[in-house]
Each structure stands twice: as structure tokens, then as C-alpha cells.
Amino acid sequence: MNEPAEDDDIDCRAASRLLSAAQDAPLPPDDERRLVLHLGICSMCRHVQGQLGVLRDAVRQIGKS
Amino acid sequence: MDIAAELSNLHQPLLRFAQLQLRHDSLAEDVVSETLLAILETPERFEGRSSLKTYATGILKFKIIDVLRRRGREIHVEPLAEQSVDDALDALFAADGHWREAPPAWQHPERALEQAQFFDTLQLCIDNLPPKLARIFMMREWLELEIDGICGELQITSNNCSVMLYRARMQLRECLQLRWFKDQA
């Protein structure tokens, strides 16, 4: 099994950038791995991930009633 | 109420959407007029499967996208200065890269999406964004355009485009947190 390399460690600032980027295009595999590792240990960034999904659903409903 | 009267009630809300996207009063008036006329000319196409507002909004979106494709270059969007990009990222986080304010979980988002009041709050938050951020964000999330298309039309780099979307999302997240979800716990 491969130990995670040191540069796989990202902070919340970097994770939040990747969460936003992932809404627009598939992430490169390295970034995807770093993000998944970070989300595994950070509930705050998991909250933000869910919130970006809510935001997207909400905006798509604007004008529909 | 007949369809013409219902449509005239939709003029203002549709114009608001169009102005937000096009930032150009006469272009915005034009797309709204074209939308309303298209419905008046063939009212039989509106089969009542959705509300008239939903139907009109759908047509308006297509017309806005068409104008952006044909005239995007005339609708200039200033890219962000690189310095302000960095500043924006710094404000949310402490020096060690952690959130300054821990984002809490949002309670019952599915209930929010059923309430007209929530959408008023969302609109308010969108209106509070800097105009260029609001515009790019709505191109991406409301018109559902792909990011490459948006950057291309507006002739800004894809990095700048991503940063603007990031800033818009983070600001909206914070605004909805303060103005809605904080009180739902």
C-alpha cells in the first residue's frame, strides 16, 4: 500500500477551491484524491460540499413556480 | 385572467433576470418582449403542464443564451485584478488555511427549497454580489452554461473565471448561512 505523499495534505482553503472547481468540470485525478482525503477528515468542508449542492439546486429553481 | 394579462404580470420579473444577465437595458427589454410575443403568438404551445412563469422563464433563458452567443463580446466583463483574487481567498481563512468561521451543517435544506421566502432571500444574496460575479455565477448555474463557453464568450482566462465562480459561491454560501440557515437550527 502506498503511503499518502506529503503534498497530498491540503488545507480547507485549498479544499474549498477544489469543491468549487469540481462543480464546473471533473477534477484531475491528483486533485480528486487530495480532496477526497481532506473531506474524510474535515466535517466543515463536507458541510460546504453539501451547501454548494443546495445552492446549485436552489438557483436552478429560480423562475419556476 | 387571460394569458395576455398574465404575461404582462411577468414582464417585471423576467426583465430583472434579463438585466442581470445582459447588463444592457435595451437588449434586456428586447429579449423579454420577444419572449412574451413568442408566447402570445402561439399560446397553444403552452399546455399548462408547468406554470406560465416557468414556461416563460424557460423561453427567456434560451433567448438570453442566444444573445450572449451573438453579442457576448459587446457585453464586456472586467476580469478580476490578480491582487483582489488573492485578497478574497485570504479573508475567509486563517493564516494556517483553516476556516475563520467553521461552516455549520445546514438544517433541512429540502424544506427551504419549498418556500417562496427562501427564494426571496436567495435573490437578495445574489443582488448583493458584485455585478460581474453575479452575472458569471448566473450564467453558470441558472443558464447552465459550461465554464469553457462562459470564459470564451467573455474573453477571460479560465483561471479568472473559476476564481470568480468560487468567490460568488463562497459569498452566497455565507449570505444564506446568515440570512436563512442560522435561524433554522
Coordinates of all heavy atoms in Angstrom, one line a residue, chain B residues 42-90:
Chain B
T42 N -48.2 31.9 -30.2 CA -48.5 30.5 -30.2 C -48.9 30.0 -28.8 O -48.2 29.2 -28.2 CB -47.4 29.6 -30.7 OG1 -46.2 30.0 -30.0 CG2 -47.2 29.8 -32.2
P43 N -50.0 30.6 -28.2 CA -50.4 30.2 -26.9 C -50.7 28.7 -26.7 O -50.6 28.2 -25.6 CB -51.6 31.1 -26.6 CG -52.1 31.5 -27.9 CD -51.0 31.5 -28.8
E44 N -51.0 28.1 -27.9 CA -51.4 26.7 -27.8 C -50.2 25.8 -27.4 O -50.4 24.7 -26.9 CB -52.0 26.2 -29.1 CG -51.1 26.2 -30.3 CD -51.0 27.6 -31.0 OE1 -51.5 28.6 -30.4 OE2 -50.3 27.7 -32.0
R45 N -49.0 26.3 -27.6 CA -47.8 25.6 -27.2 C -47.7 25.4 -25.7 O -47.0 24.5 -25.2 CB -46.5 26.2 -27.8 CG -46.4 26.0 -29.2 CD -44.9 25.9 -29.6 NE -44.8 26.0 -31.0 CZ -43.9 26.8 -31.6 NH1 -43.0 27.4 -30.9 NH2 -43.8 26.9 -32.9
F46 N -48.2 26.4 -25.0 CA -48.2 26.4 -23.6 C -49.4 25.5 -23.1 O -50.5 25.8 -23.3 CB -48.4 27.7 -22.9 CG -48.6 27.7 -21.4 CD1 -47.6 27.2 -20.6 CD2 -49.7 28.1 -20.9 CE1 -47.8 27.1 -19.2 CE2 -49.9 28.1 -19.5 CZ -48.9 27.5 -18.7
E47 N -49.0 24.3 -22.7 CA -50.1 23.3 -22.4 C -50.4 23.2 -21.0 O -51.2 22.3 -20.6 CB -49.6 21.9 -23.0 CG -49.5 21.9 -24.5 CD -48.7 20.7 -25.0 OE1 -47.8 20.2 -24.3 OE2 -49.0 20.3 -26.1
G48 N -50.0 24.1 -20.2 CA -50.3 24.1 -18.8 C -49.7 23.0 -18.0 O -50.1 22.7 -16.8
R49 N -48.7 22.4 -18.5 CA -48.0 21.3 -17.7 C -47.1 21.9 -16.6 O -46.8 21.3 -15.7 CB -47.2 20.4 -18.7 CG -48.0 19.3 -19.3 CD -47.1 18.5 -20.2 NE -46.6 19.3 -21.3 CZ -46.1 18.8 -22.4 NH1 -46.0 17.5 -22.6 NH2 -45.6 19.6 -23.3
S50 N -46.7 23.2 -16.9 CA -46.0 23.9 -15.8 C -46.7 25.2 -15.7 O -47.7 25.5 -16.4 CB -44.5 24.1 -16.3 OG -44.5 24.8 -17.5
S51 N -46.2 26.0 -14.7 CA -46.9 27.4 -14.6 C -46.4 28.2 -15.8 O -45.4 27.9 -16.5 CB -46.4 28.0 -13.3 OG -45.1 28.5 -13.4
L52 N -47.2 29.2 -16.1 CA -46.8 30.1 -17.2 C -45.5 30.8 -16.9 O -44.7 31.0 -17.8 CB -47.9 31.2 -17.4 CG -47.8 32.1 -18.6 CD1 -47.8 31.2 -19.9 CD2 -48.8 33.2 -18.7
K53 N -45.2 31.1 -15.7 CA -43.9 31.7 -15.3 C -42.7 30.8 -15.7 O -41.7 31.2 -16.2 CB -43.9 32.1 -13.9 CG -42.6 32.9 -13.5 CD -42.7 33.3 -12.1 CE -41.4 34.1 -11.7 NZ -41.2 34.2 -10.2
T54 N -42.9 29.5 -15.3 CA -41.9 28.5 -15.6 C -41.6 28.4 -17.1 O -40.5 28.4 -17.6 CB -42.3 27.1 -15.0 OG1 -42.5 27.2 -13.6 CG2 -41.2 26.1 -15.3
Y55 N -42.8 28.4 -17.8 CA -42.7 28.2 -19.3 C -42.0 29.5 -19.9 O -41.1 29.3 -20.7 CB -44.1 28.1 -19.8 CG -44.2 28.0 -21.3 CD1 -43.8 26.8 -21.9 CD2 -44.9 29.0 -22.0 CE1 -43.9 26.7 -23.3 CE2 -45.0 28.8 -23.4 CZ -44.5 27.7 -24.1 OH -44.7 27.6 -25.4
A56 N -42.4 30.6 -19.4 CA -41.8 31.9 -20.0 C -40.3 32.0 -19.6 O -39.5 32.4 -20.4 CB -42.6 33.1 -19.4
T57 N -40.0 31.6 -18.4 CA -38.6 31.7 -17.9 C -37.7 30.7 -18.8 O -36.6 31.1 -19.2 CB -38.5 31.3 -16.4 OG1 -39.3 32.1 -15.7 CG2 -37.0 31.4 -16.0
G58 N -38.3 29.6 -19.1 CA -37.5 28.6 -20.0 C -37.2 29.3 -21.4 O -36.1 29.2 -21.9
I59 N -38.2 29.9 -21.9 CA -38.0 30.5 -23.3 C -37.0 31.7 -23.1 O -36.1 31.9 -24.0 CB -39.4 31.0 -23.8 CG1 -40.3 29.8 -24.1 CG2 -39.2 31.9 -25.1 CD1 -41.7 30.2 -24.6
L60 N -37.2 32.5 -22.1 CA -36.3 33.6 -21.8 C -34.8 33.1 -21.7 O -33.9 33.8 -22.3 CB -36.7 34.4 -20.6 CG -35.8 35.6 -20.2 CD1 -36.1 36.7 -21.2 CD2 -36.0 36.0 -18.8
K61 N -34.6 32.0 -21.1 CA -33.2 31.5 -20.9 C -32.6 31.3 -22.3 O -31.5 31.6 -22.6 CB -33.2 30.2 -20.1 CG -33.4 30.4 -18.6 CD -33.1 29.1 -17.9 CE -33.4 29.2 -16.4 NZ -33.1 28.0 -15.7
F62 N -33.4 30.6 -23.2 CA -32.9 30.3 -24.5 C -32.6 31.6 -25.2 O -31.6 31.7 -25.9 CB -33.9 29.5 -25.3 CG -33.8 28.0 -25.0 CD1 -34.8 27.4 -24.3 CD2 -32.7 27.3 -25.4 CE1 -34.7 26.0 -24.0 CE2 -32.6 25.9 -25.0 CZ -33.6 25.3 -24.3
K63 N -33.4 32.6 -25.1 CA -33.2 33.8 -25.8 C -32.0 34.6 -25.3 O -31.2 35.2 -26.0 CB -34.5 34.7 -25.8 CG -35.6 34.1 -26.6 CD -36.7 35.0 -27.0 CE -37.8 34.4 -27.8 NZ -37.3 34.1 -29.2
I64 N -31.8 34.5 -23.9 CA -30.6 35.2 -23.3 C -29.3 34.5 -23.8 O -28.4 35.2 -24.2 CB -30.7 35.2 -21.8 CG1 -31.8 36.1 -21.3 CG2 -29.4 35.6 -21.2 CD1 -32.1 36.0 -19.8
I65 N -29.4 33.2 -23.8 CA -28.2 32.4 -24.3 C -27.8 32.8 -25.7 O -26.7 33.0 -26.1 CB -28.4 30.9 -24.1 CG1 -28.4 30.5 -22.6 CG2 -27.3 30.1 -24.8 CD1 -28.9 29.1 -22.3
D66 N -28.9 32.9 -26.5 CA -28.7 33.3 -27.9 C -28.1 34.6 -28.1 O -27.1 34.8 -28.8 CB -30.1 33.2 -28.6 CG -29.9 33.4 -30.1 OD1 -29.0 32.6 -30.7 OD2 -30.6 34.2 -30.7
V67 N -28.5 35.6 -27.3 CA -27.9 37.0 -27.3 C -26.5 36.9 -26.9 O -25.6 37.5 -27.4 CB -28.8 38.0 -26.5 CG1 -28.0 39.3 -26.3 CG2 -30.1 38.2 -27.1
L68 N -26.2 36.1 -25.8 CA -24.8 36.1 -25.3 C -23.9 35.5 -26.4 O -22.8 35.9 -26.5 CB -24.8 35.2 -24.0 CG -25.4 35.8 -22.8 CD1 -25.5 34.8 -21.6 CD2 -24.6 37.1 -22.3
R69 N -24.4 34.5 -27.1 CA -23.6 33.9 -28.2 C -23.3 34.9 -29.3 O -22.2 35.0 -29.8 CB -24.3 32.7 -28.8 CG -24.6 31.6 -27.8 CD -24.0 30.2 -28.2 NE -23.7 29.4 -27.1 CZ -24.5 28.5 -26.6 NH1 -25.7 28.2 -27.2 NH2 -24.2 27.9 -25.5
R70 N -24.4 35.6 -29.6 CA -24.2 36.5 -30.8 C -23.5 37.8 -30.4 O -22.8 38.4 -31.2 CB -25.6 36.8 -31.4 CG -26.1 35.7 -32.2 CD -27.4 36.1 -32.9 NE -28.5 36.2 -32.0 CZ -29.2 37.3 -31.8 NH1 -28.8 38.4 -32.4 NH2 -30.2 37.4 -30.9
R71 N -23.7 38.3 -29.2 CA -23.3 39.6 -28.8 C -22.4 39.6 -27.6 O -22.1 40.7 -27.0 CB -24.5 40.6 -28.6 CG -25.6 40.3 -29.5 CD -26.0 41.5 -30.4 NE -25.7 42.8 -30.0 CZ -26.5 43.8 -30.1 NH1 -27.8 43.6 -30.5 NH2 -26.2 45.0 -29.8
G72 N -21.9 38.5 -27.2 CA -21.2 38.4 -25.9 C -20.0 39.3 -25.9 O -19.7 39.9 -24.8
R73 N -19.4 39.5 -27.0 CA -18.2 40.4 -27.0 C -18.5 41.8 -26.7 O -17.6 42.6 -26.2 CB -17.5 40.3 -28.3 CG -16.7 39.0 -28.3 CD -15.8 38.6 -29.3 NE -15.6 37.2 -29.1 CZ -15.2 36.3 -30.0 NH1 -15.1 36.7 -31.2 NH2 -15.0 35.1 -29.7
E74 N -19.7 42.2 -27.0 CA -20.1 43.6 -26.7 C -20.4 43.8 -25.3 O -20.4 45.0 -24.8 CB -21.3 44.0 -27.5 CG -21.1 44.0 -29.0 CD -22.4 44.0 -29.8 OE1 -23.3 44.8 -29.4 OE2 -22.6 43.2 -30.7
I75 N -20.7 42.7 -24.6 CA -21.1 42.8 -23.2 C -19.8 42.6 -22.4 O -19.5 41.4 -22.0 CB -22.2 41.9 -22.8 CG1 -23.3 42.0 -23.8 CG2 -22.7 42.1 -21.4 CD1 -24.3 40.8 -23.8
H76 N -19.1 43.6 -22.1 CA -17.8 43.4 -21.6 C -17.8 43.1 -20.1 O -18.5 43.8 -19.3 CB -17.0 44.7 -21.8 CG -15.6 44.6 -21.5 ND1 -14.7 43.7 -22.1 CD2 -14.8 45.3 -20.6 CE1 -13.5 43.8 -21.6 NE2 -13.5 44.7 -20.7
V77 N -17.0 42.1 -19.7 CA -16.9 41.9 -18.2 C -15.4 42.1 -17.9 O -14.5 41.4 -18.5 CB -17.3 40.4 -17.9 CG1 -16.8 40.1 -16.5 CG2 -18.8 40.2 -18.0
E78 N -15.2 43.0 -16.9 CA -13.8 43.2 -16.5 C -13.3 41.9 -15.7 O -14.0 41.5 -14.8 CB -13.8 44.3 -15.5 CG -13.9 45.7 -16.1 CD -12.6 46.1 -16.8 OE1 -11.5 45.9 -16.2 OE2 -12.6 46.6 -17.9
P79 N -12.2 41.4 -16.1 CA -11.6 40.3 -15.3 C -11.2 40.9 -13.9 O -11.0 42.1 -13.8 CB -10.4 39.8 -16.0 CG -10.1 40.8 -17.1 CD -11.3 41.7 -17.3
L80 N -11.1 40.0 -12.9 CA -10.6 40.5 -11.6 C -9.2 40.8 -11.7 O -8.4 40.1 -12.3 CB -10.8 39.3 -10.6 CG -12.3 39.0 -10.1 CD1 -12.2 37.9 -9.2 CD2 -12.9 40.2 -9.5
A81 N -8.8 41.8 -10.9 CA -7.3 42.0 -10.8 C -6.7 40.9 -9.9 O -7.4 40.4 -9.0 CB -7.1 43.3 -10.1
E82 N -5.5 40.4 -10.3 CA -5.0 39.3 -9.6 C -4.9 39.5 -8.1 O -5.1 38.6 -7.3 CB -3.6 38.9 -10.2 CG -3.7 38.4 -11.6 CD -4.5 37.2 -11.8 OE1 -4.6 36.3 -10.9 OE2 -5.2 37.1 -12.9
Q83 N -4.6 40.7 -7.7 CA -4.4 41.1 -6.3 C -5.7 40.8 -5.5 O -5.8 40.2 -4.5 CB -4.0 42.5 -6.1 CG -3.7 42.9 -4.6 CD -2.7 42.0 -4.0 OE1 -1.7 41.6 -4.6 NE2 -3.0 41.6 -2.7
S84 N -6.8 41.3 -6.2 CA -8.1 41.1 -5.4 C -8.5 39.7 -5.4 O -9.2 39.3 -4.5 CB -9.2 42.0 -6.1 OG -9.7 41.3 -7.3
V85 N -8.0 38.9 -6.3 CA -8.3 37.4 -6.2 C -7.7 36.9 -4.9 O -8.3 36.2 -4.2 CB -7.7 36.7 -7.5 CG1 -7.7 35.2 -7.3 CG2 -8.5 37.1 -8.7
D86 N -6.4 37.2 -4.7 CA -5.8 36.7 -3.5 C -6.4 37.2 -2.2 O -6.6 36.4 -1.3 CB -4.3 37.1 -3.5 CG -3.5 36.3 -4.6 OD1 -4.0 35.3 -5.1 OD2 -2.4 36.8 -5.0
D87 N -6.8 38.5 -2.2 CA -7.4 39.1 -1.0 C -8.6 38.3 -0.7 O -8.9 38.0 0.5 CB -7.7 40.5 -1.3 CG -6.4 41.4 -1.4 OD1 -5.4 40.8 -1.1 OD2 -6.5 42.6 -1.7
A88 N -9.4 38.0 -1.7 CA -10.7 37.4 -1.5 C -10.5 36.0 -0.8 O -11.3 35.6 0.1 CB -11.5 37.3 -2.8
L89 N -9.6 35.3 -1.3 CA -9.3 34.0 -0.7 C -8.8 34.1 0.7 O -9.2 33.3 1.5 CB -8.3 33.2 -1.6 CG -8.7 33.1 -3.1 CD1 -7.6 32.2 -3.8 CD2 -10.1 32.6 -3.3
D90 N -8.0 35.1 1.0 CA -7.5 35.2 2.3 C -8.5 35.5 3.4 O -8.4 35.1 4.5 CB -6.4 36.3 2.3 CG -5.1 35.8 1.6 OD1 -5.0 34.5 1.4 OD2 -4.3 36.6 1.2

